[in-house]
Amino acid sequence: MEEGLVSVDRFCAGSQAYFLTHLHQDHTRGLASAGGWRHGPLYCSPTTARLLPARFPGIDASLLRPLAPGASTSLSLSSLTSDRPLSLSVTAIPALHCPGSLMYLFRGDLGCMLYTGDFRWERGCDRARRAKQALLDALGGDTVDLLYLDNTYCHPSFNFPPRPVVAEQMVNIIRAHPDHEVIIGVDTLGKEDLLLHISRALQTKIWVWPQRLLTVHLLGIDENHEIFTTQTSLTKIRAVPRYSVNIESLEALNTVCPTIGIIPSGIPWLLKSSEGKAKPKGKSPAKSVRCKGRDEGLVEMDFDPLSPPKLFDKDSYTLPYSEHACFSELEDFMQTVRPSTVVGIVSTSFCYVNPHHHFRHLCSDNNDDGTPIKNKGGNTDNLTPKRRQNSSATPEARKVRISSSSLYRSKVIRKRKEGCGARIDDTEELVGVA
């Protein structure tokens, strides 16, 4: 194995420091290895540090290095090629994806790199404005040499309303079905704000499964047990694992009592084609919500809250409640950062587009065709962007190579395959991306 210096969302032996952006399953592969995590110091947010022992009981807590949003830390690393010491400063930036999610800004002897992980900075959101200012303050005028961007929805077709708007649409759907049980598909972490909004708007408790209740309490939410419960008799609204909300389960539930299912996700079920016709993507629920945005080719879904409930496969709703940045938000982010080069953290998906294709005009180092430069000789699978001088202390001969991890298919979103994680290696090559 080629040994590295720093790994982000990639957990295998060989690096001197490890960073975890957040605690979703597709970003934690390797943490559950036999015997628990023992490979080196693990940096994460304080929130993630509280959740980790419950999710990974074998982890060595003495290796955790909580890094609060906005805080910085310095790393003293050892070059594996020249035996010279290397200095690296790391700043944690709020990602606003799920509780505890962070971006990491790396600056120092290896240049300036930003790894966003999964994130969403919505327009008009106070928390997003503060996170943006924290990033600009941490950069201090430096140029980001290499940006690793959450490109989950990096296509003009994907523009979603703000999360509070969609949360209210969900409340309206539930109100339109007063005689129905409601199941809402969620992950093991995230969308807590959505569930809290529904509970407060409808003045009702929400059922969650025991592990989810433990997570809620570890987050410091509902300490008085007024909102979430594991007793099904206390509420008609249940938050269940997302993969369990499907046509078959809804059909079975409707044999017992009228039930609707809601999946809050940015994944569209109907895409507007260039001719203006809706194209179904896979097996779609029968009803959705129309969400108009600013550009052409947007996600368009139809829902009439006054229409009577349908039967079985007609009782499933999907709303564009996304915890990933949509295209217009990615464009705003790129205009803020204006890196030398950008690459996506999602290697492939059901609608994959390299962010460089759409945002090359916002990058300082480009070829005429808008693609990074190929390595000369050696591994032709690597892309080598040119470097740009900035005020970071970057010795001329010192470069950095980042390689991505292997692909992983999510159990929850079966249409999305992600290559999450990066490793920073000390080499004599230019910045390389695999």
Side-chain angles (χ1 to χ4, degrees), residues 23 35 87 90 107 118 143 149 168 174 204 208 215 227 244 253 260 278 306 315 317 346 348 351 377 407:
L23 209 49
S87 177
V90 186
R107 300 167 66 236
D118 294 343
T143 296
L149 183 69
E168 189 60 27
I174 297 172
T204 183
V208 292
T215 297
I227 297 175
S244 67
L253 288 170
I260 62 170
L306 299 179
D315 289 324
Y317 296 81
V346 180
T348 184
C351 186
L407 296 180

Side-chain angles (χ1 to χ4, degrees), residues 75-252:
L75 301 180
S76 296
L77 308 174
S78 300
S79 171
L80 301 177
T81 59
S82 64
D83 293 328
R84 287 181 292 180
L86 298 173
S87 177
L88 197 63
S89 173
V90 186
T91 302
I93 306 296
L96 308 185
H97 170 67
C98 68
S101 59
L102 292 176
M103 303 179 184
Y104 293 110
L105 176 66
F106 299 90
R107 300 167 66 236
D109 291 342
L110 297 176
C112 182
M113 291 162 288
L114 176 61
Y115 192 95
T116 70
D118 294 343
F119 84 101
R120 187 175 187 189
W121 288 3
E122 291 156 302
R123 292 171 173 171
C125 173
D126 289 338
R127 291 192 302 162
R129 280 195 290 265
R130 291 193 295 270
K132 176 182 177 180
Q133 190 59 52
L135 175 58
L136 293 175
D137 292 344
L139 280 170
D142 281 1
T143 296
V144 173
D145 298 316
L146 182 58
L147 169 64
Y148 270 87
L149 183 69
D150 177 7
N151 58 319
T152 304
Y153 296 119
C154 186
H155 189 278
S157 293
F158 302 127
N159 275 307
F160 312 129
R163 281 172 282 193
V165 172
V166 184
E168 189 60 27
Q169 291 172 337
M170 286 190 61
V171 169
N172 292 336
I173 289 176
I174 297 172
R175 281 179 173 151
H177 297 84
D179 299 324
H180 283 65
E181 299 282 316
V182 179
I183 59 173
I184 303 171
V186 296
D187 294 318
T188 56
L189 177 67
K191 298 185 172 69
E192 287 79 12
D193 288 344
L194 171 64
L195 298 178
L196 288 171
H197 178 81
I198 293 172
S199 173
R200 289 164 180 163
L202 299 176
Q203 297 184 341
T204 183
K205 289 180 177 290
I206 295 180
W207 181 94
V208 292
W209 64 101
Q211 182 188 7
R212 198 64 165 85
L213 185 63
L214 173 61
T215 297
V216 166
H217 290 160
L218 287 173
L219 292 172
I221 299 174
D222 192 32
E223 294 179 342
N224 295 326
H225 305 274
E226 297 174 346
I227 297 175
F228 297 101
T229 180
T230 55
Q231 299 181 46
T232 56
S233 61
L234 297 182
T235 179
K236 70 168 189 175
I237 301 176
R238 302 194 297 277
V240 301
R242 177 161 49 170
Y243 60 81
S244 67
V245 182
N246 52 54
I247 300 302
E248 291 74 19
S249 63
L250 283 171
E251 182 175 334

Side-chain angles (χ1 to χ4, degrees), residues 329-346:
E329 292 158 353
L330 291 175
E331 189 171 37
D332 288 346
F333 187 82
M334 286 293 301
Q335 290 173 344
T336 296
V337 177
R338 291 187 174 270
S340 294
T341 299
V342 59
V343 294
I345 66 172
V346 180

